[in-house]
Amino acid sequence: MSTRNLADEDLTNAVLASFAGAGSERFKTIAESLVRHLHAFATEVQLTEEEWFAGIDFLTRTGHITDDKRQEFVLLSDVLGLSMLVVGMNNRRPPKATESTVFGPFFVEHSPAFENGDNIAEDFSGEPCFVSGRVVGVEGEPVAGARVEIWQADDAGFYDVQNGEEPNGRGHLFTDEEGRFSFWSVKPEAYPIPADGPVGELLDAGGRGPMRPAHIHFMVTAEGYQRLITHVFVEGDEYLDSDAVFGVRSALIAPFVRDGDHWTASYDLVLAR
């Protein structure tokens, strides 16, 4: 098909035809669908050249602000609901299994190793909090030796990497023979997602708020089970119904209870085979 003198529908069809020799059917399916939807979007809103340049500038600045400590593209995907859409489509599990939610932009590989009962947030500001639970299968069987990865923000809403600190408020440990895990940290608090970059501009333009309800991140892996990426949210948080990244699931909300000079929370993480 000639690529000369094309406009509107003929142009779209020519771009689609250009992927006929794609190396895999899956790539061809994705590329063709992307072209159709992009062209349909531009046509529907009658996109101006000024708006197109503004979009290119937005994506360029999103790339520039992204580094090994901040993933602005993940943040963009989160606030547009794409992250939760993909999570939902790819994590269909039995009803008893713990639900997945967004990964977030602040996970770091090679976190410190801890033993059960250790404090993972030794230098974090915030009220002490003891968190415990079990990792079990959907039939209730304990999952021994499961790796439980944890990360969270301090009481001001900052993760260690945002402050350029050594690892803090994050780490991993392994469940005991009964599938039990426990650690000390600080009580999580609600916080705004980073709003000093392009994603913050997007939220401002849309009249949207940046707040996330208080939560702790968990990633659990165990042989013979599906990996689980999820949060545990603090019951009663005022932002549970207005999460900026649409990540709250009712079953992931847990009570955090005052116990003298500290808080306690208990939550079981249920894995699907």
Side-chain angles (χ1 to χ4, degrees):
M1 182 175 184
S2 174
T3 58
R4 187 184 303 180
N5 302 327
L6 301 174
D8 300 336
E9 187 176 349
D10 289 337
L11 173 60
T12 300
N13 289 333
V15 178
L16 293 172
S18 73
F19 288 103
S24 77
E25 281 301 310
R26 180 60 178 167
F27 176 82
K28 182 181 177 184
T29 297
I30 292 172
E32 289 181 345
S33 182
L34 175 63
V35 168
R36 281 195 297 269
H37 285 82
L38 278 176
H39 285 220
F41 156 71
T43 300
E44 178 183 335
V45 302
Q46 289 294 289
L47 196 67
T48 68
E49 288 183 280
E50 181 181 10
E51 290 163 343
W52 180 82
F53 277 117
I56 295 296
D57 176 66
F58 175 86
L59 293 175
T60 300
R61 290 185 292 110
T62 299
H64 285 168
I65 203 171
T66 297
D67 57 24
D68 60 343
K69 296 179 179 179
R70 174 170 175 168
Q71 233 304 347
E72 193 81 355
F73 279 108
V74 170
L75 201 61
L76 176 60
S77 176
D78 288 350
V79 303
L80 293 178
L82 180 60
S83 297
M84 277 307 298
L85 180 62
V86 173
V87 165
M89 290 189 298
N90 286 273
N91 291 277
R92 311 289 189 199
R93 292 193 172 100
K96 292 181 181 179
T98 299
E99 294 184 77
S100 299
T101 190
V102 293
F103 196 45
F106 294 117
F107 172 75
V108 177
E109 296 277 4
H110 312 301
S111 68
F114 290 97
E115 297 295 327
N116 281 296
D118 283 351
N119 189 345
I120 71 166
E122 195 73 50
D123 298 317
F124 255 12
S125 62
E127 298 183 271
C129 184
F130 184 72
V131 180
S132 63
R134 297 177 72 214
V135 176
V136 298
V138 293
E139 301 303 323
E141 73 277 12
V143 182
R147 178 177 171 129
V148 181
E149 190 90 35
I150 310 123
W151 65 105
Q152 70 167 92
D154 63 16
D155 66 341
F158 292 105
Y159 291 81
D160 51 3
V161 293
Q162 291 177 280
N163 292 324
E165 300 173 353
E166 292 298 312
N168 208 351
R170 73 173 69 243
H172 68 272
L173 46 80
F174 294 89
T175 56
D176 67 12
E177 291 301 313
E178 297 300 318
R180 293 174 299 202
F181 67 89
S182 63
F183 59 92
W184 283 92
S185 187
V186 298
K187 181 177 179 288
E189 300 291 345
Y191 64 84
I193 61 173
D196 58 341
V199 171
E201 295 174 15
L202 176 69
L203 293 178
D204 285 343
R208 291 175 52 185
M211 296 301 294
R212 294 222 65 204
H215 62 276
I216 301 174
H217 294 260
F218 288 90
M219 180 168 70
V220 185
T221 52
E223 185 174 355
Y225 293 86
Q226 297 179 38
R227 181 179 69 171
L228 172 66
I229 296 172
T230 196
H231 300 357
V232 173
F233 294 93
V234 177
E235 185 178 73
D237 190 282
E238 64 178 301
Y239 298 104
L240 287 171
D241 292 314
S242 58
D243 183 9
V245 306
F246 311 98
V248 178
R249 295 289 182 266
S250 295
L252 300 178
I253 300 171
F256 281 64
V257 180
R258 170 71 78 173
D259 184 6
D261 62 352
H262 67 277
W263 294 81
T264 65
S266 182
Y267 192 89
D268 291 347
L269 300 162
V270 184
L271 305 185
R273 289 191 177 275

